[in-house]
Amino acid sequence: MTVPKVTSFRLFVLASCLTLLFYLSLHSASDFVGGIIFLLVGGALPSLIVVALALALAWLLPTTRFVRFLTAIALTVPIGLNSSLPDVVASPGYRAEVSSDIRGRVVLANAGPLRSVDVKYSNWGAFFVHPARARVELGGDEGCGCFYFLDAKTNLYSDLIIEKLFATVMRRGALVKYDALDDPSQERRDVHLELSFWQEASSYRSLVEVFDRGIKIAAFAHTNIPIRAYVEPIGVGRGHFDKNFWQNATDILLHSNLWTWLADQILPNYFPDREFERFIVGVISPLK
């Protein structure tokens, strides 16, 4: 076996060992020791694995070392983006299609009933707006020293709507299940937002409605949300860490590296951030 092929083999072994370390340190079987290892190096492992695989493939080529290095650099892009590559290729052409209708305006006060804007809870489903970003993230429990999988909140359409609303009005309201209240008629006496989704022919549509004491005063519609934006991760939340562990851990491994991060910074996402902010500012006077 030639020297380049020996080097390539060693790099493949290195990539395999790093991948094994990622899964073992994250898995509950590794207990506290694995958790410490993951906290120390887990964030760097996905990127290191990409580099090792790119170098291993490049060193198979019968050419000079300089050309191999250039080839490895080029290979890091498709390897790093991996399953996100089709979405990344399609993403630059995406443009949010939005419309709004404002019929009234709410003025918040520091005292009285109109101090904040609430959000009516609904089981919205998992609509992820960043095509290259992982769809699950890790939560931690200091009491048991353990991890659990959660939907990636910085990637969820519904969470971004709620956070943008509260940031714009400069007051955090509540996420309210009105049908679970002792007095469900509360939604006819407050100011709240309702968010809903439904599927159209080849895309999804979202609708945000603002209600002022039971009267709808504004609506914001976003059409052409790609079908691929909707994915329901399995086995997320406390007590479900070992349920579908491999799929969720692999999602983090594949989509938490330097290349997916760069793609996330450069490419447009499926959330109309500026348009929705302008809508909220037009409907609600924020607190000073």
Side-chain angles (χ1 to χ4, degrees):
M1 185 180 292
T2 62
V3 173
K5 288 185 178 180
V6 170
T7 303
S8 178
F9 176 76
R10 290 174 176 171
L11 288 166
F12 276 122
V13 171
L14 174 61
S16 299
C17 291
L18 292 175
T19 302
L20 184 62
L21 177 62
F22 176 88
Y23 284 114
L24 287 178
S25 61
L26 184 56
H27 198 278
S28 58
S30 62
D31 204 28
F32 182 76
V33 174
I36 294 297
I37 294 174
F38 190 86
L39 287 174
L40 291 175
V41 300
L45 289 176
S47 297
L48 293 175
I49 292 167
V50 170
V51 172
L53 286 174
L55 288 170
L57 291 171
W59 245 250
L60 291 173
L61 297 176
T63 184
T64 64
R65 180 173 297 183
F66 178 72
V67 172
R68 290 188 188 117
F69 272 119
L70 292 180
T71 303
I73 293 172
L75 286 174
T76 58
V77 177
I79 295 173
L81 296 178
N82 50 81
S83 64
S84 298
L85 190 57
D87 289 331
V88 168
V89 171
S91 181
Y94 178 77
R95 296 293 181 272
E97 298 178 9
V98 302
S99 60
S100 62
D101 178 27
I102 299 176
R103 304 173 186 174
R105 185 171 175 83
V106 175
V107 179
L108 299 181
N110 285 314
L114 297 183
R115 288 178 292 177
S116 65
V117 180
D118 296 329
V119 178
K120 184 175 183 178
Y121 173 80
S122 178
N123 186 17
W124 292 295
F127 290 86
F128 294 99
V129 304
H130 296 276
R133 192 181 297 182
R135 297 184 177 101
V136 295
E137 62 185 19
L138 288 174
D141 189 325
E142 295 180 359
C144 66
C146 56
F147 294 127
Y148 50 89
F149 291 117
L150 296 169
D151 289 321
K153 293 186 177 299
T154 57
N155 199 358
L156 275 177
Y157 195 111
S158 54
D159 278 60
L160 292 172
I161 285 284
I162 294 169
E163 291 304 314
K164 176 60 69 173
L165 166 68
F166 293 160
T168 303
V169 303
M170 292 183 282
R171 178 67 64 86
R172 178 166 290 277
L175 186 61
V176 183
K177 295 183 179 181
Y178 288 104
D179 56 359
L181 296 178
D182 293 334
D183 182 10
S185 65
Q186 172 65 31
E187 67 177 308
R188 296 194 295 272
R189 300 196 301 272
D190 63 10
V191 177
H192 69 270
L193 174 152
E194 295 185 14
L195 169 64
S196 56
F197 295 93
W198 63 90
Q199 186 172 351
E200 298 184 320
S202 58
S203 62
Y204 286 98
R205 176 186 180 95
S206 73
L207 178 65
V208 174
E209 300 169 291
V210 180
F211 290 84
D212 181 1
R213 284 159 284 200
I215 299 173
K216 184 169 76 170
I217 62 170
F220 178 88
H222 175 200
T223 60
N224 197 35
I225 302 173
I227 291 290
R228 59 184 176 273
Y230 178 74
V231 180
E232 285 286 359
I234 301 172
V236 295
R238 293 176 182 269
H240 297 285
F241 188 75
D242 292 324
K243 181 182 179 183
N244 227 41
F245 168 84
W246 299 105
Q247 177 178 321
N248 289 331
T250 300
D251 183 67
I252 295 175
L253 176 65
L254 294 180
H255 305 120
S256 300
N257 59 57
L258 174 62
W259 294 265
T260 54
W261 180 84
L262 287 173
D264 196 41
Q265 306 306 306
I266 297 170
L267 298 173
N269 60 63
Y270 308 138
F271 180 67
D273 183 275
R274 294 179 182 177
E275 295 90 339
F276 181 67
E277 181 176 351
R278 286 196 293 266
F279 167 75
I280 291 298
V281 169
V283 178
I284 303 168
S285 294
L287 291 169
K288 301 299 183 181

